[in-house]
Amino acid sequence: FPNLFFDSQHLAKLRFLDLSGSQFLEKIPDLSEIPNIEHLDLCRCTSLVEIDDSIGLLDKLVELNLDGCVNLTRFATRLRLNSLEKLYLSDCKRLESFPEIEVKMESLWWLDISGSGIRELPSSIAYLTGLPELPLLPELYSFTLRGCNLSKSDFALPLVYWYTLTELDLSGNNFVNLPRGFSKFVNLRELRLTDCESLLEIPEQVLPPKVSPVRLDNCTSLQKIPEVSWVLLDNCTSLEKIGSMYLSLTNCVRLRGYYDITENIFLNPRFDYDINLPGDEVPKWFSYCKDATIVRTKRYQYDARCEVSFEIPPNLKWETLRLVLCVVAVAEVSIFNISFTISLNGQRVNEIRLDRIEEGHVRLTCIPLLNRNYVNLSQPLKPGNLCKVEFLLSLYGRVPAIDKIPCGVHLLGHQVADVSVTEDFYQRLLP
């Protein structure tokens, strides 16, 4: 490349440079000696692997064409291209990342990254204020746009084109409502809206059908959300109404005493539910309640244990049996580890471990009674079998201000007319 120029004193005057189709060109070195370049054509340079970072500082550059550079892996690390109007990166199959944009690039009105290896765009993409829409990326899976102080109009139009997105992170932005275009993200599975302190509402039928989870930690103005299968809503201090079934609501203080969550929402056998919300008692609809006694085990460690035993009623369908388990971390007590062990007639049939519960919160977990990884029965179960649930809770740090932790168990299941048919289910579980 340096040998292309015979008189370096004229490089500063260079405006147009066409190296398209240079099949043996592997690297573009420092371009600071051509600061006034306006048009740089490197398309179909199939051996080109790397371009020096100085290309991102050419503030007179109007058009940059890298179409068909199939082996290009490095394309600057930052862009300060105030004059750039057109950027072509199509079919750069090995180019996986887009540079950080350090200034508003209001002049850029054409960006083509179709067929490239780019799967995630930086949050600084918001600086491309001149684009009428962000490009359609048939293979874009993840998009992050944090902390950009976006309003609804800033991102609603571009996002409706990304039908294959599976992860979308819009944390820390200041929009008030989500646009209805979100419903077009038919493959979106995870949506992060943490720290969106101005978000008031997520309208009904806006969230895509497959999204799970939705993360809404610290959305302190949020007042209403639609029903979704898993929502994380830590520190949503203004939230007053919820319709979701799989929730973590740490520090949502307006939900203290919110017990409209009833046993009916746990009946869907397709999900394992885990709900964390402010509160100080086991819900009234629980069938079995017992206190776990706190015992000091080490200098800075305390455990709490209890057991709840009951008989399985004869009129329930075995394969639909589910347990709702409850632990209450009362004031001044934080629980760091939780373990539930479920046994039938002395034989372990399921086990689950959960992470911490902050003080002043209730944890509700719903799981199947039987886990096929544990079930190894020597004979089919019959109605009237004894179920035992063991609670083991671990506490660390300061001496607890109380000596007991409220726990609860509630059995769910569908009724059957003929109890004998349930035995066939257990026959199938035998080795």
Side-chain angles (χ1 to χ4, degrees):
F1 183 86
N3 296 330
L4 292 173
F5 305 103
F6 300 99
D7 190 350
S8 59
Q9 64 177 331
H10 297 300
L11 291 182
K13 301 179 181 180
L14 189 65
R15 299 289 190 272
F16 295 84
L17 179 59
D18 184 354
L19 298 174
S20 59
S22 301
Q23 298 182 9
F24 302 104
L25 183 61
E26 298 180 359
K27 182 179 180 180
I28 301 294
D30 188 354
L31 296 171
S32 57
E33 293 190 26
I34 51 173
N36 294 307
I37 191 74
E38 296 178 3
H39 297 268
L40 179 57
D41 191 349
L42 298 168
C43 73
R44 301 187 309 281
C45 292
T46 54
S47 298
L48 184 61
V49 174
E50 181 180 339
I51 301 177
D52 187 78
D53 284 347
S54 58
I55 196 172
L57 306 177
L58 300 174
D59 59 3
K60 301 293 179 61
L61 191 62
V62 174
E63 181 176 345
L64 175 60
N65 192 345
L66 295 168
D67 281 352
C69 294
V70 294
N71 286 303
L72 183 66
T73 59
R74 179 183 171 88
F75 163 53
T77 55
R78 56 186 180 138
L79 295 182
R80 300 181 63 91
L81 303 176
N82 298 318
S83 302
L84 192 66
E85 297 179 1
K86 299 179 182 180
L87 176 57
Y88 301 89
L89 296 170
S90 66
D91 296 321
C92 295
K93 301 182 184 302
R94 298 186 61 189
L95 184 64
E96 297 181 355
S97 61
F98 194 88
E100 288 288 339
I101 305 167
E102 296 187 343
V103 296
K104 282 191 175 182
M105 294 173 54
E106 299 175 338
S107 298
L108 187 68
W109 61 270
W110 182 265
L111 172 62
D112 186 359
I113 52 179
S114 60
S116 70
I118 296 173
R119 295 294 177 268
E120 184 173 355
L121 297 173
S123 60
S124 56
I125 201 75
Y127 284 133
L128 301 184
T129 56
L131 281 178
E133 63 186 48
L134 290 179
L136 176 65
L137 296 178
E139 297 179 351
L140 183 66
Y141 303 122
S142 177
F143 179 68
T144 300
L145 197 58
R146 286 178 171 267
C148 299
N149 295 321
L150 297 181
S151 66
K152 174 180 174 180
S153 59
D154 286 323
F155 67 87
L157 179 62
L159 293 182
V160 300
Y161 292 96
W162 296 336
Y163 297 114
T164 58
L165 276 179
T166 58
E167 299 178 10
L168 179 59
D169 188 348
L170 297 174
S171 300
N173 288 292
N174 64 354
F175 44 78
V176 176
N177 294 289
L178 291 185
R180 296 196 176 274
F182 269 63
S183 60
K184 296 183 179 180
F185 297 149
V186 294
N187 291 309
L188 191 66
R189 297 187 179 275
E190 181 169 345
L191 176 61
R192 295 176 180 266
L193 299 170
T194 59
D195 301 312
C196 293
E197 297 181 356
S198 299
L199 184 61
L200 294 176
E201 180 182 1
I202 301 176
E204 295 289 340
Q205 300 179 345
V206 164
L207 292 177
K210 298 180 181 179
V211 66
S212 174
V214 179
R215 302 184 183 274
L216 293 162
D217 313 61
N218 300 316
C219 293
T220 54
S221 299
L222 192 63
Q223 298 176 3
K224 184 180 178 182
I225 61 173
E227 182 176 298
V228 291
S229 61
W230 177 330
V231 181
L232 300 178
L233 298 154
D234 290 356
N235 201 26
C236 299
T237 54
S238 298
L239 189 62
E240 296 178 350
K241 181 179 180 181
I242 61 174
S244 302
M245 296 187 225
Y246 204 16
L247 309 169
S248 177
L249 300 157
T250 302
N251 295 328
C252 297
V253 294
R254 291 196 180 186
L255 286 173
R256 180 168 296 279
Y258 183 86
Y259 289 103
D260 289 340
I261 296 178
T262 66
E263 61 180 316
N264 293 330
I265 71 171
F266 296 102
L267 292 176
N268 190 333
R270 294 179 301 169
F271 300 111
D272 292 342
Y273 296 88
D274 191 8
I275 298 176
N276 190 34
L277 74 164
D280 54 13
E281 62 180 2
V282 177
K284 303 297 185 184
W285 49 268
F286 266 69
S287 302
Y288 310 98
C289 297
K290 194 168 185 179
D291 289 335
T293 303
I294 299 177
V295 178
R296 184 173 182 173
T297 57
K298 296 181 181 179
R299 183 175 181 182
Y300 296 108
Q301 181 175 337
Y302 300 81
D303 286 351
R305 297 173 182 265
C306 71
E307 296 180 0
V308 176
S309 299
F310 56 93
E311 282 195 356
I312 304 295
N315 61 335
L316 295 180
K317 194 174 183 180
W318 279 98
E319 55 264 45
T320 67
L321 291 183
R322 301 168 67 79
L323 292 178
V324 187
L325 309 172
C326 177
V327 175
V328 181
V330 295
E332 300 186 25
V333 173
S334 293
I335 302 172
F336 287 83
N337 290 294
I338 310 164
S339 175
F340 305 101
T341 302
I342 297 96
S343 303
L344 283 175
N345 299 329
Q347 189 165 2
R348 184 175 300 183
V349 293
N350 206 346
E351 186 176 27
I352 184 174
R353 290 181 172 83
L354 302 177
D355 56 4
R356 64 181 296 162
I357 309 176
E358 297 291 343
E359 63 178 274
H361 286 78
V362 176
R363 189 72 172 264
L364 302 172
T365 300
C366 183
I367 61 172
L369 175 65
L370 299 176
N371 184 329
R372 290 177 181 271
N373 294 325
Y374 290 88
V375 174
N376 184 20
L377 303 173
S378 58
Q379 59 183 3
L381 292 177
K382 299 180 183 295
N385 286 275
L386 184 67
C387 179
K388 181 172 70 174
V389 180
E390 300 174 72
F391 293 76
L392 174 58
L393 318 172
S394 298
L395 300 78
Y396 296 94
R398 61 186 178 184
V399 178
I402 60 170
D403 59 359
K404 296 183 183 297
I405 295 177
C407 300
V409 177
H410 188 75
L411 178 67
L412 298 174
H414 297 295
Q415 293 186 350
V416 292
D418 184 2
V419 175
S420 64
V421 301
T422 62
E423 296 186 9
D424 294 337
F425 174 73
Y426 280 92
Q427 289 283 9
R428 297 195 297 271
L429 295 177
L430 295 178

